Amino acid sequence: MFFWNSSIKVSDSGLLKGYTDYHCHLLPGVDDGVRKPSMTIDLLNLMQQHGVKEVFFTPHVMEEMPNTPESLRKVYDDILPTLHGEPCKDITLHLAAENMLDGFFSLERAMQLPLPDDHLLVETSYFTPPYNMKDLLRQIMASGKYPLLAHPCRYQYMGEKDYEELRAMRIHFQLNIPAVSGLYGTEVQKKSFWLLDHGYYALTGTDTHSLKQYQSFLDTKLPRKRVKQIEELLGAN
């Protein structure tokens, strides 16, 4: 019982061995994430040291950051030769995007930078949903793609009933592992526990924006019960 209720540091948990990070902001200079290529290299090096094997860059696409697939690919293609060298040679890299469901959202654009298995990573404001949120999600599904809602536990306007309704619509959810460690606060952590207990998560990520943030994540602790649940989720992918 003591073992079940105890916690373990993320860096010691083993979760990052062979890990694929489906959500992070490591493409330099395009959003509120990493600013310089050297910072990207430092972060990838740290990830590699802890066993991460695959990383999807998911820069923001939104009204405040009106990135396009073409502009993002140019930055990605320009930096890729540098990232393929030391010290990041053992990490496989990909480019996708995190699409805000706002006035700038374009399904045509979003479909050009998907995650695996036809997932489109989407998000909303933390405070209020777009008035046409469900219509947008249905449009995505009608296109043959699967909406993957980023970090649902962080949306203050969502509760259990909202998650159940979205689940019934066949919306998929993405787990930010830092939420489980309490890095975003206890309320967000409690929501992440509920979503884990109900098996609602499909893919995981760290939502890393900086080296300092990732180091803090490594130093936080996860309840061993939650480590087991995340391991089962990773094993199902």
Side-chain angles (χ1 to χ4, degrees), residues 5-182:
N5 287 333
S6 64
S7 299
I8 186 171
K9 282 178 64 173
V10 170
S11 57
D12 297 329
S13 68
L15 286 176
L16 300 180
K17 301 294 183 183
Y19 181 65
T20 297
D21 193 332
Y22 288 101
H23 182 179
C24 63
H25 296 267
L26 271 61
L27 191 66
V30 297
D31 60 10
D32 59 346
V34 170
R35 304 307 304 164
K36 301 177 181 179
S38 60
M39 297 176 181
T40 303
I41 292 172
D42 289 344
L43 259 165
L44 289 174
N45 185 30
L46 183 59
M47 288 179 167
Q48 181 173 273
Q49 290 174 24
H50 286 84
V52 176
K53 290 297 183 183
E54 198 165 359
V55 172
F56 285 79
F57 294 170
T58 55
H60 288 292
V61 177
M62 59 172 66
E63 290 176 344
E64 293 84 358
M65 302 168 194
N67 293 307
T68 65
E70 295 76 18
S71 66
L72 293 173
R73 284 199 188 98
K74 184 179 187 309
V75 176
Y76 180 75
D77 291 342
D78 286 347
I79 195 177
L80 201 57
T82 302
L83 301 182
H84 275 158
E86 295 287 353
C88 316
K89 62 182 179 64
D90 294 329
I91 292 185
T92 301
L93 303 175
H94 309 273
L95 177 62
E98 181 181 15
N99 303 277
M100 178 69 77
L101 297 178
D102 61 11
F104 187 70
F105 177 76
S106 161
L107 179 55
E108 181 180 358
R109 275 198 305 266
M111 289 175 66
Q112 295 181 53
L113 292 174
L115 286 171
D117 299 323
D118 290 324
H119 282 105
L120 296 185
L121 186 64
V122 298
E123 66 171 338
T124 78
S125 161
Y126 289 150
F127 309 106
T128 56
Y131 74 93
N132 57 342
M133 177 177 174
K134 290 183 179 179
D135 287 339
L136 291 173
L137 294 174
R138 291 189 183 98
Q139 288 175 25
I140 294 172
M141 289 187 289
S143 75
K145 303 295 184 182
Y146 296 97
L148 179 68
L149 186 62
H151 40 65
C153 59
R154 300 189 72 180
Y155 302 125
Q156 296 181 19
Y157 65 89
M158 283 192 183
E160 294 175 7
K161 181 179 179 181
D162 299 289
Y163 300 137
E164 291 169 348
E165 289 179 354
L166 291 171
R167 177 75 167 185
M169 290 176 60
R170 301 181 182 272
I171 305 303
H172 296 180
F173 296 153
Q174 177 256 313
L175 167 66
N176 276 8
I177 297 180
V180 183
S181 71

